[in-house]
């Protein structure tokens, strides 16, 4: 559905250059919810703005559905012929992609109805057709009773629903969501994420979800790309990235959304909960879909005669698949502890030794 190949975008401001997007290549399948996470300034917004040509990339190739584009000399061109895209083609492409933002970008002086109807002007639809389509969209986002309300009369979550309805007015195949839940409280965030998941399932909508919050990725994305300084530094299935983050920045994002991250505070404080005596080991175990459900802890205490003191434990659910985490102190004979660790690793449990007593 979306293929980004070697995309670059540099801004020059007052003589200094910012490489906002550097050699980014990503493939996003049709019907996927694809997360892009990164800290402020990582280049996330610039990257997605290049997808709907709100920014024109400096170089690279882009395929959106059946449109193959290549960027050169600051222009979007047809791949192959190299002819610059006509205004008409550009607006056709833009119409096939909806976008929602952190601050909703609604017209304050227009009603909910008018906001949603806005992109339907000049499409050749009659007033009656527009009215029917808006009603359909209001039902889709569950806001039928707010048809005549003004944005100021709506909650943040309701405003974002209006923005989603407006973004979907022209039946786009793709929805770009740029920090759409960042200004919302946790309940409204959850309800908007559920709505996005629902739209993805019901309409087969491909969603590119930008965020700086791993919890957002965790709740609805299937794949994720981690951006840092304009580059994609890590990419994969959300489950795998959570179970086995490779880059330091990814580890930090994963920890931020994990119930086990409290361990860092306990370690920093040298809490009695994590103090190890000589011979003891403080270990973090991650049980993935390959290993979860195994009675690993009772197995190792029986087989190797070691005591396991649990410090922290969690079971998370990533799109219906469990991911377990356990931080525990192992106590016993050194050789037996090592044999237990080897046993766990063989059993596909991720093992990380946090502290040796
Ligand atoms: N129009 C512009 N002109 C000049 N520099 C820009 C422009 N847009 C973005 N940049 C710069 O490009 C870099 C990437 O910005 P971008 O907005 O893509 O980051 P982001 O990951 O979306 O950050 P945030 O999480 O804060 O939204 C930043 O250093 C930013 O200052
Ligand atoms: Mg941004």
């Amino acid at each position: 559905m979306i293929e980004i190949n070697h995309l670059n975008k540099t801004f020059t401001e007052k003589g200094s250059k910012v490489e906002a997007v550097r050699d980014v290549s990503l493939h996003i399948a049709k019907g996927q919810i694809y997360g892009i996470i990164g800290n402020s300034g990582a280049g996330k917004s610039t990257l997605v703005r290049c997808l709907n040509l709100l920014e024109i990339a400096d170089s690279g190739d882009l395929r959106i559905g059946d449109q193959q584009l290549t960027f050169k000399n600051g222009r979007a061109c047809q791949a192959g012929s190299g002819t610059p895209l006509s205004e008409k083609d550009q607006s056709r492409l833009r119409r096939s992609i909806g976008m929602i933002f952190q601050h909703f970008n609604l017209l304050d002086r227009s009603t909910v109805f008018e906001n949603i109807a806005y992109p339907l002007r000049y499409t050749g639809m009659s007033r009656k057709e527009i009215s029917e389509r808006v009603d359909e969209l209001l039902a889709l986002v569950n806001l039928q009773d707010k048809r005549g309300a003004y944005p100021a009369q709506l909650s943040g979550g309701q405003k974002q629903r209006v923005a989603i309805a407006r973004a979907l007015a022209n039946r786009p195949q793709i929805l770009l969501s740029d920090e759409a839940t960042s200004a919302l409280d946790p309940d409204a965030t959850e309800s908007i994420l559920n709505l996005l998941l629902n739209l993805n399932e019901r309409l087969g909508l491909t969603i590119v979800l930008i965020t700086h919050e791993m919890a957002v990725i965790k709740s609805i994305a299937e794949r994720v790309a981690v951006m840092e300084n304009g580059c994609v530094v890590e990419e994969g299935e959300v489950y795998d990235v959570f179970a086995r983050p490779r880059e330091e920045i990814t580890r930090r994002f994963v920890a931020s959304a994990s119930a086990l991250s409290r361990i860092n505070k306990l370690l920093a404080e040298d809490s009695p909960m994590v103090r190890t005596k000589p011979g003891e080991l403080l270990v973090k175990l991650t049980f993935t879909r390959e290993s979860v459900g195994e009675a690993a802890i009772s197995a190792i205490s029986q087989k190797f005669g070691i005591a396991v003191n649990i410090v922290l434990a969690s079971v998370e659910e990533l799109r219906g698949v469990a991911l377990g985490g356990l931080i525990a102190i192992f106590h016993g004979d050194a050789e037996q502890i090592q044999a237990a660790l080897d046993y766990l690793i063989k059993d596909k449990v991720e093992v990380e030794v946090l502290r040796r007593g």
Side-chain angles (χ1 to χ4, degrees):
M1 166 108 282
I2 303 175
E3 272 185 42
I4 305 166
N5 283 310
H6 303 293
L7 208 73
N8 289 285
K9 175 72 186 176
T10 300
F11 293 107
T12 312
E13 218 176 357
K14 294 180 191 133
S16 70
K17 275 188 177 179
V18 180
E19 292 180 84
V21 173
R22 296 199 277 175
D23 195 29
V24 167
S25 299
L26 290 178
H27 292 199
I28 301 173
K30 190 172 165 49
Q32 202 161 50
I33 300 184
Y34 195 102
I36 298 176
I37 190 167
N39 288 324
S40 187
K44 309 177 295 292
S45 295
T46 306
L47 176 63
V48 292
R49 287 166 61 83
C50 287
L51 301 183
N52 61 0
L53 309 183
L54 282 177
E55 289 301 346
I56 302 297
D58 301 326
S59 61
D61 299 307
L62 181 63
R63 185 168 75 80
I64 304 271
D66 59 357
Q67 299 227 47
Q68 301 253 18
L69 310 180
T70 184
F71 295 96
K72 52 181 183 188
N73 307 324
R75 303 184 79 161
C77 305
Q78 306 276 5
S81 71
T83 33
L85 229 58
S86 64
E87 275 301 322
K88 203 171 141 223
D89 283 340
Q90 289 202 23
S91 54
R92 184 168 79 94
L93 185 108
R94 286 203 185 100
R95 266 208 308 278
S96 70
I97 304 177
M99 190 160 183
I100 54 175
F101 307 88
Q102 179 173 3
H103 295 297
F104 326 119
N105 298 10
L106 299 180
L107 304 165
D108 289 334
R109 290 163 185 274
S110 303
T111 62
V112 165
F113 175 89
E114 290 160 350
N115 268 283
I116 299 175
Y118 192 80
L120 299 172
R121 296 162 314 145
Y122 316 118
T123 53
M125 286 169 86
S126 70
R127 285 169 72 109
K128 183 164 169 289
E129 286 167 332
I130 291 180
S131 172
E132 283 167 7
R133 177 68 183 140
V134 172
D135 284 337
E136 247 173 63
L137 290 157
L138 283 168
L140 197 64
V141 300
N142 207 1
L143 273 187
Q144 292 96 321
D145 54 334
K146 298 292 181 195
R147 202 176 197 262
Y150 286 88
Q153 299 169 308
L154 304 177
S155 71
Q158 289 169 336
K159 285 182 201 170
Q160 195 57 285
R161 282 171 188 268
V162 175
I164 291 171
R166 180 185 56 186
L168 298 181
N170 280 308
R171 303 177 195 278
Q173 305 267 306
I174 299 167
L175 180 68
L176 307 177
S177 167
D178 191 350
E179 302 278 8
T181 56
S182 298
L184 302 178
D185 66 38
D187 282 349
T189 294
E190 194 185 334
S191 127
I192 291 296
L193 292 177
N194 283 336
L195 174 62
L196 293 178
L197 185 59
N198 182 271
L199 294 169
N200 162 258
E201 286 167 354
R202 274 164 67 191
L203 309 175
L205 191 66
T206 306
I207 300 178
V208 183
L209 191 72
I210 295 187
T211 180
H212 62 277
E213 290 173 287
M214 203 58 171
V216 168
I217 301 283
K218 198 170 118 184
S219 62
I220 65 166
E222 293 165 78
R223 283 189 87 84
V224 62
V226 183
M227 283 189 82
E228 192 177 24
N229 298 325
C231 301
V232 170
V233 294
E234 189 158 354
E235 199 271 343
E237 265 190 49
V238 169
Y239 192 94
D240 296 335
V241 170
F242 260 88
R244 286 173 283 268
R246 285 181 317 223
E247 299 295 322
E248 180 51 35
I249 183 168
T250 316
R251 285 172 182 278
R252 268 187 272 137
F253 279 126
V254 167
S256 71
S258 158
L260 299 186
S261 60
R262 207 153 67 83
I263 190 64
N264 296 325
K265 195 162 163 275
L266 295 176
L267 284 169
E269 289 169 351
D270 192 28
S271 155
M273 280 170 76
V274 295
R275 261 179 231 155
T276 44
K277 298 194 192 78
E280 289 183 344
L281 227 55
L282 180 71
V283 184
K284 179 179 173 190
L285 306 177
T286 306
F287 299 87
T288 63
R289 61 187 142 204
E290 293 95 35
S291 52
V292 80
E294 296 281 314
I297 298 304
S298 58
I300 55 166
S301 50
Q302 280 170 20
K303 270 186 204 296
F304 307 102
I306 59 171
V308 178
N309 282 348
I310 295 174
V311 179
L312 293 171
S314 73
V315 179
E316 326 222 28
E317 196 199 321
L318 294 159
R319 293 192 63 137
V321 187
L323 179 66
L326 186 72
I327 295 178
I329 295 177
F330 284 13
H331 173 85
D333 176 72
E335 271 179 29
Q336 293 297 310
I337 288 182
Q338 190 52 52
L341 295 182
D342 293 343
Y343 175 88
L344 289 169
I345 292 166
K346 204 167 138 270
D347 218 18
K348 304 229 166 54
V349 178
E350 296 290 316
V351 177
E352 190 183 343
V353 176
L354 302 177
R355 195 181 250 186
R356 283 174 196 276

